[in-house]
Each structure stands twice: as structure tokens, then as C-alpha cells.
């Protein structure tokens, strides 16, 4: 096999980005989408020139692999179904919203290479370089760390009834901390505040201890005013015995200033440009998935790694008294 027939399940915000990238990857035959919402399905058919199906069952006959872009709480069942049909699966983060669910997914995945979890930060060149430096010992013994990710208040609206700020944003940071330091973390305490949504935390601060002895904080919120030019404020700072490393993951390097309305710092790393070409972390992630599938090679991010990030967020939710 030198090409991969692939489809996208769920063409909401993230599925549309996956579709846009898949159209431009030479080794991918992007054949169709499965989407429950008829209007979104028709729009995807027209935009990407592919067939739209109403359910995963109808899509599976036509593909070798599927990219699952359903809401966080709906990941388990379609992943198990696609794996049982012998397909390779790219599953968006978080792998699921409990370790029990992750365990069921892994139990239904006899070939661990068939499943990749879409922890996109692992494909960010800034993160990769930081990891190399930390793992090479350039900052020495890790003393303490801070990882944070906050978005515009617009992000939580519409999803806070089906996920949480810890699941939706914190899982990125849980994975980032493990990926860069190579250490496991335990949650010592967490506090949160409910300021915008009807009934869940909009801001969560967690205190962690890494297994090498370092202490860390993880801060997540979807509370930034929408008029803030950079609608994502994210990064990682690690202080060690020989030095420190600071990674800025906010959108800071392209400012769009309209004559009317607010100035906006635009993303230049994560998502494809309007034309879809060029480098982006999502493109690198999808290319890694496709190449591994074609070569029948190891999963670039196996379920065990997705589960470890889920376990950390689950511990945060437990510390908040929610699990
Ligand atoms: N990697 C990242 O940085 C990143 C960014 C945003 C979202 N995500 C993740 O991507 C996933 C999707 O998020 P989103 O914001 O695109 O959600 P969304 O609500 O915008 O889209 C989900 C789509 O799935 C469809 N759907 C739901 N159930 C279905 C079913 N059974 N069959 C077919 N279609 C169905 C919905 O109609 C909707 O169009 C989430 O897990 C989210 O955490 C990842």
C-alpha cells in the first residue's frame, strides 16, 4: 500500500481542519466524511468534493483509516467500531474522558499500532526543540515548572455542558509536561472557579509533583476577554539546576489590524492557512499518522500515551471533587 484511503468522522470545527489538511497530503486519498448533521455534511461534500455519509458504519466500507473528530465524550464507541473493522484510527485528544474508557479502547485494540492519539503539541517545532534540550540535560535537574493554556471566553460557550476546561484544554498541558520532561506527575491539589458557565469551572489551577521531585502548576481557563488580540495564552516554563527553558505557545507573531474592529494575533503554527498548504502542526500530525499507516509502522502516539494524559486530567477532576 503506498496510499491511504481515509475519512473524517465529525466535521465540526476540528473535523473541517482535518479535512482541509487531508486534501493536500499526496499520500492521502481523502474519500469521505461521516457527519450526523445534514447541513454540515452537505457543506463538507461541497467544500472538499468528497462523499458525505450519515454514520460511521456507512463510511467504514470505503476507507483504510478514519480520523475521529467527535466531541470529547463521544470518542469510545466509534473508535472501538473502527478498530474492530480493522481500520487505523487517529483519535482527537483527549483520548476519552475517563481512564476506564481509555482502558476499554485499548482492550478493543489488539494491534496497538492501529491507534494514534492526536496530541498535537508533540508536533510543534518549539516543543520538540524544548524536549531535546531538557532530555539532553541542558537545564540540569528540574526544580519546578509551570504550564498554562487559556483561551478566549468564546471557546467554552457551547461546549461546557459536554466537556470541561480541564478535559478540553488541560489535556494538552498534561501531555506537554510528560512529553517534555519524560516524567510522570501526580496531582496534589486543584481549585477551580465557575465565573461564566452555568455550572462548571471556567478556570482551574492544579498543583502537581513530578516523579523526579519537581513541583509544577497547571493553569487552564476559557476566560480571556474576546477582544484580547491573542486569543490563546499558552506556554511552558521549566526551571532547572543548570538553567531554564521557556516556550511561548501563544499566538504572537502575526498581527492583523483591521481599520474597523479589533486587532488579532493570528495562529501561525497549529492550523493550516486558508489555502491549506505549507507547514502546520496539524499537517505534521496527519502526515505522521498516514506514513505510519502506509508502512504499517508503530503508532506515533499510542493509546498508552493518550491514557497517561487522561489519567492526569482525571486526577485534576477528582481533586476538584467532580469524579
Ligand atoms: N487538537 C486540538 O488542538 C483540538 C482543537 C479543538 C478541538 N479538538 C478536539 O476535536 C474534537 C472535536 O471538537 P470540535 O470542536 O470539532 O467539536 P464540534 O462540536 O465542532 O464538532 C463535532 C461534530 O461531530 C458531529 N457528530 C456528533 N456525533 C456524531 C456521530 N455519532 N456521528 C457523526 N457525527 C457526529 C457533530 O454534528 C459535529 O459536527 C474534540 O474531541 C475536541 O477536544 C482538538
Amino acid at each position: 500500500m503506498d496510499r491511504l484511503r481515509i475519512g473524517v468522522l465529525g466535521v465540526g470545527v476540528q473535523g473541517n481542519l482535518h479535512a482541509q489538511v487531508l486534501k493536500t497530503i499526496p499520500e492521502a486519498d481523502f474519500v469521505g466524511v461521516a457527519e450526523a448533521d445534514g447541513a454540515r455534511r452537505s457543506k463538507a461534500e461541497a467544500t472538499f468534493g468528497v462523499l458525505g455519509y450519515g454514520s460511521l458504519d456507512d463510511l467504514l466500507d470505503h476507507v483504510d483509516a478514519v480520523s475521529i473528530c467527535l466531541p470529547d465524550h463521544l470518542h469510545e464507541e466509534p473508535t472501538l467500531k473502527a478498530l474492530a473493522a480493522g481500520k487505523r484510527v487517529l483519535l482527537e485528544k483527549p483520548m476519552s474522558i475517563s481512564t476506564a474508557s481509555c482502558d476499554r479502547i485499548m482492550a478493543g485494540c489488539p494491534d496497538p499500532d492501529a491507534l494514534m492519539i492526536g496530541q498535537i503539541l508533540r508536533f510543534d517545532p518549539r516543543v520538540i526543540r524544548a524536549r531535546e534540550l531538557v532530555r539532553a540535560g541542558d537545564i540540569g535537574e528540574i526544580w519546578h515548572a509551570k504550564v498554562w493554556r487559556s483561551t478566549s471566553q468564546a471557546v467554552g460557550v457551547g461546549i461546557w455542558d459536554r466537556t470541561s476546561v480541564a478535559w478540553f484544554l488541560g489535556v494538552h498541558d498534561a501531555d506537554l509536561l510528560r512529553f517534555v520532561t519524560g516524567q510522570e506527575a501526580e496531582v496534589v491539589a486543584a481549585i477551580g472557579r465557575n465565573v461564566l458557565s452555568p455550572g462548571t469551572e471556567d478556570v482551574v489551577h492544579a498543583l502537581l509533583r513530578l516523579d523526579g521531585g519537581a513541583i509544577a502548576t497547571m493553569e487552564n481557563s476559557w476566560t480571556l476577554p474576546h477582544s484580547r488580540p491573542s486569543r490563546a495564552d499558552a506556554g511552558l516554563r521549566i526551571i532547572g539546576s543548570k538553567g531554564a527553558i521557556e516556550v511561548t505557545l501563544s499566538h504572537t507573531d502575526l498581527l492583523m489590524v483591521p481599520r474597523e474592529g479589533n486587532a488579532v494575533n493570528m495562529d501561525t503554527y497549529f492550523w493550516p492557512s486558508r489555502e491549506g498548504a505549507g507547514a502546520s502542526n496539524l499537517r505534521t500530525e496527519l502526515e505522521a499518522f498516514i506514513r505510519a499507516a502506509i508502512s504499517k509502522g508503530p503508532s506515533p502516539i499510542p493509546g498508552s500515551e493518550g491514557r497517561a494524559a487522561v489519567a492526569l486530567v482525571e486526577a485534576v477532576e477528582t481533586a476538584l471533587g467532580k469524579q
Side-chain angles (χ1 to χ4, degrees), residues 18-200:
H18 281 232
Q20 194 188 333
V21 174
L22 286 173
K23 281 298 278 185
T24 69
I25 296 182
E27 301 94 331
D29 280 330
F30 175 32
V31 296
V33 303
E35 165 59 56
D37 180 297
R40 287 184 180 188
R41 189 164 66 241
S42 302
K43 188 162 174 241
E45 285 183 305
T47 306
F48 303 113
V50 297
L51 287 171
Y53 302 94
S55 75
L56 175 63
D57 296 293
D58 299 328
L59 174 69
L60 281 180
D61 285 343
H62 309 280
V63 295
D64 309 306
V66 61
S67 169
I68 297 184
C69 299
L70 297 193
D72 297 354
H73 66 297
L74 299 178
H75 286 184
E76 180 181 329
E77 192 215 319
T79 301
L80 285 169
K81 188 175 279 184
L83 290 169
K87 312 300 176 185
R88 298 278 289 219
V89 173
L90 173 60
L91 176 58
E92 260 299 346
K93 65 81 201 165
M95 180 173 171
S96 197
I97 57 171
S98 73
T99 47
S101 174
C102 294
D103 290 340
R104 288 191 292 273
I105 291 174
M106 290 202 293
C109 181
D111 174 8
D113 292 332
L115 177 64
M116 171 175 167
I117 310 303
Q119 296 289 170
I120 193 170
L121 286 172
R122 294 188 180 210
F123 298 94
D124 190 294
R126 300 163 296 189
V127 170
I128 291 167
R129 189 80 183 102
R131 179 180 193 258
E132 285 169 2
L133 294 167
V134 171
R135 297 289 190 102
D138 288 34
I139 65 165
E141 179 205 345
I142 299 173
W143 286 347
H144 61 100
K146 169 180 158 119
V147 61
W148 71 98
R149 174 164 300 272
S150 293
T151 64
S152 158
Q153 66 186 87
V155 167
V157 179
I159 62 171
W160 52 41
D161 58 339
R162 67 185 203 201
T163 185
S164 74
V165 73
W167 285 119
F168 194 76
L169 299 178
V171 79
H172 282 298
D173 291 334
D175 186 62
L176 182 59
L177 204 54
R178 293 183 66 253
F179 182 64
V180 172
T181 65
Q183 297 186 25
E184 296 301 333
E186 64 165 335
V187 175
V188 178
I191 52 173
R193 281 203 74 190
N194 166 218
V195 286
L196 290 171
S197 67
T200 188

